[in-house]
Amino acid sequence: MASPAGSIFTRQPWKGLYTLIVAALVTARLPFWLIYYIPRALRQHPQWSFRQALMVQLLKTISYHFTVIEMRTPLSIEPGLDKACFVAVHPTKPERYVDILNDNQAKPVNLGGTWYPGAYEVGDRQDVVLHFHGGAFVLGTGRADDAGFAAKMLHKHSTAKIFMPQYRLSSNPGGKFPAALQDAVSAYQHLLDAGVPHSKIIVSGDSAGANLALALLRYLSEHEDLFPTPAAAWLWSPWVDIARAADPTAYGRHRNYGTDYINGIFGAWGARTYVPNSISASHPYISPMNHPFMCKTPLWIHTGGLELLYDDDVKLADNLKEIEGNKVEFVVEPYAPHDIILLGDKLGFVAEAERATKKAVEFLKHKRVGA
């Protein structure tokens, strides 16, 4: 189990020493894994290819050790390699950050965002997908080197332009809730101010990003006097029970633990750093699974049949369907692990990601607001 926050492994020189030792150990284990996963019977699931089995094992191991050292993701509002596709997003009017967003600690700030394949221009007629990347609120940037595969999938099958905000992370100072939700509101208003009709905006997110997308939809629903309703929402492997994730042993008891790359300490790291002392981890804006709400925006929810969050996602969908007026479609990719829209290319689940994206686009055609 990972050491607690502030342990020697999160500080230099021990952090660097630990990283070197782990790199050597993983390198030493790799030949064993290359042989071990050749027989289909020894793979995590018999339907998986050799590549899928190997890459899930590698990612599970690497993510565990990233968590032990609490690897940080520095954020910059400089364009860098994304050049003209990266834009600055400024806070909107103070009166739009009310109630849960009116916080004594977290305040709206400038942030960046990346357009795919290019920036929106006034007069563009295609949809715009406002997508929030995953990473347990502690990792990710939404830039091309981080979420490029997701952007490629979404654009390829929808022809929409994709905008990924670089929201604040809880692994960095000032990133606890509601900082990311403030950034989500800023990003949504940024699109409106840029001339994107609300009827052309699809709110989307994967894993923790889907949690954030759902929080944004809840906020928009509660403040219809401040914001118009987006056309639809896509939630990919949503992480919706952060309260349970705070227990690092919770995921290890799940039947799908062996077929997913998520580990308990990674979720616990995200939960510990994201939830402030002033609010409960079970709050509807943080752990929405058991807190359904009326949402005028049609909801498409996707999960993997072999992922740790499968049961949570089923319960989320069922709860939302019970609210009169909600339009909810739930889709399962039976042999997929967690979050293939973000990591399908790295894990070898490209075909599955393609299939899921096509279903999301089909849902948009028939269920979007006004359809």
Side-chain angles (χ1 to χ4, degrees):
M1 184 176 294
S3 301
S7 74
I8 62 173
F9 296 121
T10 64
R11 302 190 301 270
Q12 298 293 1
W14 308 109
K15 188 174 188 175
L17 180 62
Y18 180 91
T19 302
L20 289 174
I21 293 173
V22 167
L25 289 175
V26 172
T27 302
R29 287 181 179 179
L30 186 56
F32 168 76
W33 289 331
L34 288 170
I35 296 172
Y36 182 82
Y37 288 120
I38 291 176
R40 187 174 292 273
L42 295 179
R43 297 171 193 168
Q44 299 94 322
H45 195 280
Q47 292 290 335
W48 284 6
S49 68
F50 170 78
R51 182 190 174 192
Q52 289 170 337
L54 177 64
M55 295 310 296
V56 167
Q57 176 64 67
L58 276 173
L59 185 56
K60 190 168 194 170
T61 302
I62 292 170
S63 66
Y64 177 91
H65 295 297
F66 274 4
T67 306
V68 171
I69 64 174
E70 295 189 0
M71 182 178 176
R72 304 300 173 92
T73 302
L75 301 180
S76 170
I77 57 173
E78 296 298 321
L81 296 176
D82 296 297
K83 298 181 180 178
C85 290
F86 190 84
V87 299
V89 176
H90 305 291
T92 182
K93 297 176 182 179
E95 54 266 30
R96 292 197 173 105
Y97 305 98
V98 297
D99 298 333
I100 195 71
L101 296 188
N102 186 14
D103 189 73
N104 291 329
Q105 300 297 322
K107 303 295 182 182
V109 299
N110 294 331
L111 62 141
T114 307
W115 281 102
Y116 303 87
Y120 177 84
E121 297 180 4
V122 176
D124 284 349
R125 302 186 65 180
Q126 66 263 59
D127 289 324
V128 170
V129 178
L130 174 60
H131 185 86
F132 301 100
H133 67 80
F137 291 113
V138 293
L139 298 175
T141 64
R143 292 177 182 255
D145 60 353
D146 168 57
F149 175 72
K152 177 182 177 182
M153 286 291 101
L154 297 177
H155 173 69
K156 176 181 178 181
H157 296 290
S158 70
T159 70
K161 288 193 171 181
I162 319 299
F163 185 64
M164 293 196 182
Q166 185 177 266
Y167 60 84
R168 281 171 284 179
L169 302 175
S170 61
S171 55
N172 294 329
K176 287 185 179 294
F177 180 89
L181 183 53
Q182 291 172 344
D183 295 343
V185 169
S186 298
Y188 185 67
Q189 187 61 46
H190 172 81
L191 296 183
L192 296 173
D193 291 343
V196 183
H198 67 93
S199 59
K200 290 286 188 178
I201 298 176
I202 299 96
V203 174
S204 177
D206 61 271
S207 192
N211 178 301
L212 183 55
L214 198 56
L216 174 62
L217 292 169
R218 184 186 295 272
Y219 187 79
L220 299 181
S221 297
E222 292 178 354
H223 300 90
E224 293 181 335
D225 57 322
L226 298 176
F227 303 94
T229 302
W234 297 332
L235 307 177
W236 310 83
S237 295
W239 187 32
V240 290
D241 192 1
I242 292 180
R244 183 169 67 94
D247 176 5
T249 68
Y251 289 157
R253 299 189 293 268
H254 195 278
R255 68 185 182 281
N256 285 348
Y257 184 75
T259 54
D260 209 344
Y261 56 84
I262 299 176
N263 59 76
I265 64 170
F266 182 59
W269 177 28
R272 170 172 53 80
T273 57
Y274 185 64
V275 183
N277 294 330
S278 59
I279 193 171
S280 169
S282 60
H283 192 281
Y285 270 97
I286 294 177
S287 295
M289 182 180 70
N290 291 319
H291 302 282
F293 62 100
M294 170 56 196
C295 184
K296 292 182 179 179
T297 302
L299 302 166
W300 183 88
I301 304 171
H302 177 271
T303 195
L306 299 180
E307 69 168 282
L308 281 170
L309 303 186
Y310 172 80
D311 293 337
D312 293 350
D313 293 344
V314 170
K315 191 169 185 179
L316 171 72
D318 288 344
N319 287 342
L320 286 167
K321 287 178 180 178
E322 290 180 358
I323 303 298
E324 185 177 356
N326 281 352
K327 295 181 180 179
V328 181
E329 183 172 308
F330 184 61
V331 175
V332 178
E333 186 61 40
Y335 303 119
H338 181 63
D339 204 358
I340 57 173
I341 192 64
L342 182 70
L343 297 169
D345 58 333
K346 296 176 178 64
L347 296 173
F349 288 87
V350 174
E352 291 83 353
E354 294 256 17
R355 186 160 54 239
T357 309
K358 291 177 181 178
K359 291 179 180 178
V361 173
E362 192 65 21
F363 172 83
L364 179 65
K365 290 179 181 178
H366 300 290
K367 301 293 185 178
R368 66 189 300 157
V369 172

